[in-house]
Amino acid sequence: MTDNLLLEYIQRCTKAEKETEKLAACLQTLTTDCLDSFEDDDISDKEFLNLLNENKKLKYRIAILKKSIENQDVKTGTMVNNDDFGSHMCNILGHLESIFTKAVLAAYPDVVDPVIQIQLSKHADYQCNAAMALAKSLKKNPREVGQMILQNVASNPLITKLDISGPGFINIFLSQDFIKQQVTNVVLNGVTPPPMVPKRVVVDFSSPNIAKEMHVGHLRSTIIGDCICRLLEFLGHDVLRLNHLGDWGTQFGMLIAHLQDCYPDFATNPPPIADLQTFYKESKKRFDEDEAFKKRAYGAVVKLQSHDPVHIKGWEEICEISKKEFEKVYERLGIRIVNRGESFYQSRMEALVKELNSAGYLEEDDGRKVMFAEGADIPLIIVKSDGGFTYDTSDLTCIKHRIEEEKGDWLIYVTDAGQSQHFKSFFACAKRAKIYDPAKTRIDHVTFGVVLGEDRKKFKTRSGDTVRLAQLLDEGLQRSEEKLKEKDRHTALTPEDFSKARDAVAYGCVKYADLCHDRSRDYVFSFDRMLDFRGNTAAYLLYALTRIRSIARTAGVNREDIVAEAKKPIDLDHEKEWKLARTILKFPDVVVRITEDLYLHPLCEYLYEISSVFTEFYDNCYCVEKDETGKIVKINMGRLMLCEATATVMEKCFAILGIKTVERM
Ligand code: ARG
């Protein structure tokens, strides 16, 4: 965001604050007046009541103003009140909502916190239905209320015409010039975010456990978390991507004991363990079956926790092997993430437990130390009876670190819904311990459902084992290759383009299939479905994009030609051109809306919508006209601009979804 925008935002806040102060002063005087008048025998009851009423209204106004200041900052951070977009794309819907909120407040200053929803309309571009509900509460005629609101809409660059229809719907017609200027802007400057107040966001995602397998649940967390990061980064936020690895705990006892047996010289010679999961299974088997081994494993935990150098070395080696394995998956999927496991918080956990103890937050429970809080369904176990710390201790410490040291304004955790209770509890305890203040920090626990197999049972291999991610991705590659070969792409493309397309389709499909569903639901993992070249799949959409990109290319028109064309105003006379332009410009509203609840499927729905609206446009509007011999006789450059803008927006959607696009496929 530019300094100018920030400056203006601050100025606006200051202005609103001043207004609030003025109103508060006014309220004070009025209250005093009221009290004075009360003693004054001359004052009639009616006057007194009037004053009280006035007082009440002012209180409302103050509350509204205060709220609007808070909302601006806390919620999404979008600045919708600025009419000077520069090269920013405008979030039209958000902007219209703000215009109409102001109009309602200007028309009816007593209305408290009006909720204004703007919808798409058949009769106009958009429609505002605020008059109906308002008329009810004000006991007035809705058409009159609509008229009042309409008259109070301040002049703005978005709207060209407003009228009232039916019982009081306000039809909104967007300005052609504004839409044309915004489309041209996309062609010239690419897809730019709407103005935002940047925040420091910490996103905890992926977060597998060392030595255990990274399973499909972690795959979902990785895909969803990465997409959230990409979206917030696009909007200009400062995002810290954290991998909260389970790298500390009792499982290391048996792993190190097993390591000592298999690789006695491990301290000097890093062990060549190729398959850590098998190694884990072996040690677990011994742990469960062999009493003596179990005893040694417990001993090893104690040694590790007291930082014995040899045990620390073994722990480091195991972590290293595991991280390298995870790294391979991240590399294939194009995921950037910073490893910061639970062990990082060791010394901070000790300090926090002391603090909590002396502040009287901890209670004894059967040798354990637990913490209760309002809103926590179950207490946190802060110290176990053997003196060790738990998942609860590390998360409470970690939230403190993220707020106080990382200076996070917004914390996001992405895990399966099964962990909801744990998260709810430590958020509540953090609040109680005054670590977290919801008015200052936004926290989201972004949950998701389980991955099911095509039999709708928990996703497993045929033999009943958990599916390994690397194998799953390999299968995706192979299936994608088969699919492309079925379509003869291996003969049409160079080997290099073919392998690019194969990878993009394989990884793109796995990600898209996950992201296009409502994340809170369980989802059925099916290669057949995700690799279908028809319907709402990455395979189809990636292909659709290459088709759009090829229109200008086959006409021999390059980007420079289109940019030169953008100097002239674009034509949007055809109904389908106008529809496509408006769909292109919906993008900012879609992404801003997502920041409210972090459900990502609307972005996929939008991507599918834009490709469908493009098809409608392409079927109805010639971009390139050819004669019977196939010779190009006319090129409609304005329409090629629309193709360019469509492709640019689609590419941005893919980029946010973490899906690589290809030129040819
Ligand atoms: N390692 C955990 C698991 O595999 C996920 C950690 C999520 N992050 C957190 N701060 N608790 O389930």
Side-chain angles (χ1 to χ4, degrees), residues 339-628:
N339 289 330
R340 187 180 288 169
E342 292 178 65
S343 62
F344 172 88
Y345 302 96
Q346 266 303 312
S347 60
R348 288 179 178 81
M349 284 198 264
E350 286 159 23
L352 178 63
V353 170
K354 272 196 198 128
E355 263 173 54
L356 294 174
N357 217 359
S358 50
Y361 289 125
L362 303 185
E363 285 168 45
E364 283 291 321
D365 173 71
D366 221 8
R368 310 179 301 180
K369 283 195 164 76
V370 300
M371 179 169 176
F372 288 88
E374 199 185 320
D377 299 337
I378 41 162
L380 296 188
I381 299 171
I382 301 291
V383 186
K384 289 192 292 186
S385 48
D386 66 2
F389 299 147
T390 70
Y391 194 41
D392 294 346
T393 329
S394 82
D395 264 327
L396 197 58
T397 311
C398 155
I399 198 173
K400 183 173 158 73
H401 180 258
R402 288 175 191 177
I403 292 173
E404 292 173 6
E405 296 183 57
E406 285 298 351
K407 307 264 179 271
D409 310 301
W410 186 359
L411 312 185
I412 298 173
Y413 298 83
V414 188
T415 79
D416 61 286
Q419 299 197 34
S420 296
Q421 205 173 42
H422 163 73
F423 277 88
K424 208 174 144 208
S425 299
F426 82 79
F427 293 161
C429 287
K431 209 167 121 191
R432 178 173 174 223
K434 303 200 169 49
I435 292 170
Y436 154 50
D437 174 0
K440 291 196 189 126
T441 314
R442 171 174 169 180
I443 301 188
D444 289 272
H445 181 210
V446 171
T447 58
F448 50 83
V450 272
V451 183
L452 304 174
E454 278 173 284
D455 55 2
R456 308 218 158 234
K457 294 205 188 105
K458 228 176 156 185
F459 195 57
K460 290 258 151 90
T461 60
R462 247 164 244 201
S463 59
D465 284 337
T466 28
V467 180
R468 290 196 180 179
L469 282 195
Q471 274 165 14
L472 188 78
L473 296 179
D474 285 343
E475 183 178 347
L477 279 183
Q478 185 204 328
R479 298 258 209 146
S480 149
E481 180 161 338
E482 282 161 15
K483 211 57 205 204
L484 289 167
K485 280 187 174 159
E486 259 172 43
K487 297 191 167 303
D488 270 336
R489 305 322 293 157
H490 57 305
T491 51
L493 298 175
T494 63
E496 198 195 333
D497 280 344
F498 181 80
S499 72
K500 268 194 200 156
R502 179 201 56 201
D503 293 6
V505 169
Y507 301 141
C509 281
V510 172
K511 289 186 181 185
Y512 193 84
D514 197 326
L515 295 170
C516 74
H517 289 99
D518 174 332
R519 61 171 163 77
S520 61
R521 305 234 189 112
D522 295 348
Y523 107 92
V524 178
F525 192 99
S526 156
F527 273 125
D528 286 335
R529 226 183 303 159
M530 65 178 76
L531 286 167
D532 198 336
F533 273 78
R534 293 153 306 172
N536 191 5
T537 65
Y540 165 72
L541 291 163
L542 282 169
Y543 183 62
L545 175 65
T546 61
R547 292 276 308 265
I548 299 173
R549 278 280 176 229
S550 75
I551 298 168
R553 196 172 53 228
T554 43
V557 174
N558 58 29
R559 197 179 135 77
E560 282 73 60
D561 304 327
I562 295 174
V563 167
E565 186 66 22
K567 300 218 166 63
K568 288 185 242 154
I570 183 173
D571 219 3
L572 297 175
D573 291 340
H574 196 288
E575 175 211 345
K576 300 293 179 190
E577 291 173 328
W578 180 248
K579 185 171 176 188
L580 179 59
R582 275 180 39 211
T583 310
I584 291 169
L585 299 181
K586 262 164 80 174
F587 174 80
D589 279 307
V590 174
V591 288
V592 169
R593 171 76 192 76
I594 292 175
T595 59
E596 286 169 20
D597 58 14
L598 303 175
Y599 275 83
L600 300 161
H601 62 280
L603 185 59
C604 298
E605 277 162 13
Y606 171 72
L607 183 54
Y608 189 59
E609 178 188 339
I610 192 169
S611 88
S612 313
V613 173
F614 182 85
T615 307
E616 258 181 66
F617 153 82
Y618 194 67
D619 289 347
N620 286 280
C621 304
Y622 281 116
C623 294
V624 178
E625 283 176 54
K626 295 179 180 165
D627 63 14
E628 312 82 68

Side-chain angles (χ1 to χ4, degrees), residues 31-280:
T31 319
T32 328
D33 281 358
C34 276
L35 289 175
D36 288 352
S37 332
F38 202 53
E39 282 156 20
D40 185 346
D41 290 339
D42 291 345
I43 190 155
S44 67
D45 284 356
K46 201 167 155 219
E47 256 175 282
F48 178 63
L49 279 178
N50 276 346
L51 281 171
L52 270 185
N53 233 341
E54 196 65 25
N55 183 322
K56 222 163 136 190
K57 281 185 198 166
L58 283 168
K59 267 192 184 158
Y60 279 151
R61 295 289 305 147
I62 291 174
I64 292 165
L65 281 166
K66 277 200 167 147
K67 204 159 177 186
S68 75
I69 298 171
E70 278 167 22
N71 276 352
Q72 287 240 3
D73 203 23
V74 175
K75 233 174 140 199
T76 58
T78 340
M79 297 163 57
V80 286
N81 293 324
N82 192 341
D83 275 345
D84 175 20
F85 302 101
S87 66
H88 285 283
M89 273 181 97
C90 166
N91 47 328
I92 297 176
L93 205 58
H95 225 84
L96 290 175
E97 273 165 14
S98 145
I99 289 171
F100 277 85
T101 308
K102 283 191 203 148
V104 167
L105 286 176
Y108 302 102
D110 300 348
V111 172
V112 189
D113 206 8
V115 186
I116 308 296
Q117 273 183 353
I118 310 281
Q119 290 163 351
L120 288 171
S121 158
K122 277 199 196 104
H123 315 289
D125 293 312
Y126 289 99
Q127 193 180 63
C128 169
N129 302 347
M132 260 58 81
L134 258 181
K136 221 179 198 174
S137 64
L138 295 171
K139 301 203 170 52
K140 287 197 161 118
N141 174 325
R143 268 191 89 92
E144 266 167 39
V145 174
Q147 198 59 44
M148 261 307 265
I149 299 174
L150 190 150
Q151 277 161 7
N152 279 283
V153 170
S155 100
N156 65 79
L158 279 70
I159 302 173
T160 181
K161 190 177 95 178
L162 293 168
D163 63 30
I164 307 272
S165 75
F169 300 115
I170 305 171
N171 289 326
I172 306 168
F173 298 88
L174 294 175
S175 147
Q176 286 247 1
D177 286 344
F178 177 73
I179 297 296
K180 288 176 182 176
Q181 172 263 317
Q182 283 277 313
V183 174
T184 307
N185 178 38
V186 173
V187 173
L188 294 178
N189 302 309
V191 180
T192 45
M196 278 276 167
V197 183
K199 295 187 183 273
R200 168 89 167 150
V201 196
V202 182
V203 187
D204 176 323
F205 69 106
S206 194
S207 308
N209 302 313
I210 297 286
K212 297 192 196 161
E213 62 242 298
M214 186 174 181
H215 53 71
V216 278
H218 295 123
L219 178 65
R220 286 206 84 179
S221 173
T222 307
I223 292 171
I224 294 169
D226 178 56
C227 182
I228 289 174
C229 292
R230 286 169 185 268
L231 182 105
L232 298 177
E233 282 156 356
F234 162 70
L235 289 171
H237 297 297
D238 171 18
V239 180
L240 175 62
R241 301 157 156 258
L242 286 185
N243 203 6
H244 191 77
L245 294 163
D247 66 350
W248 197 252
T250 43
Q251 81 266 30
F252 283 99
M254 61 181 198
L255 285 164
I256 295 173
H258 192 47
L259 189 67
Q260 284 167 330
D261 295 343
C262 302
Y263 305 98
D265 64 341
F266 74 88
T268 46
N269 232 347
I273 304 174
D275 185 352
L276 200 56
Q277 277 153 50
T278 308
F279 187 81
Y280 179 88

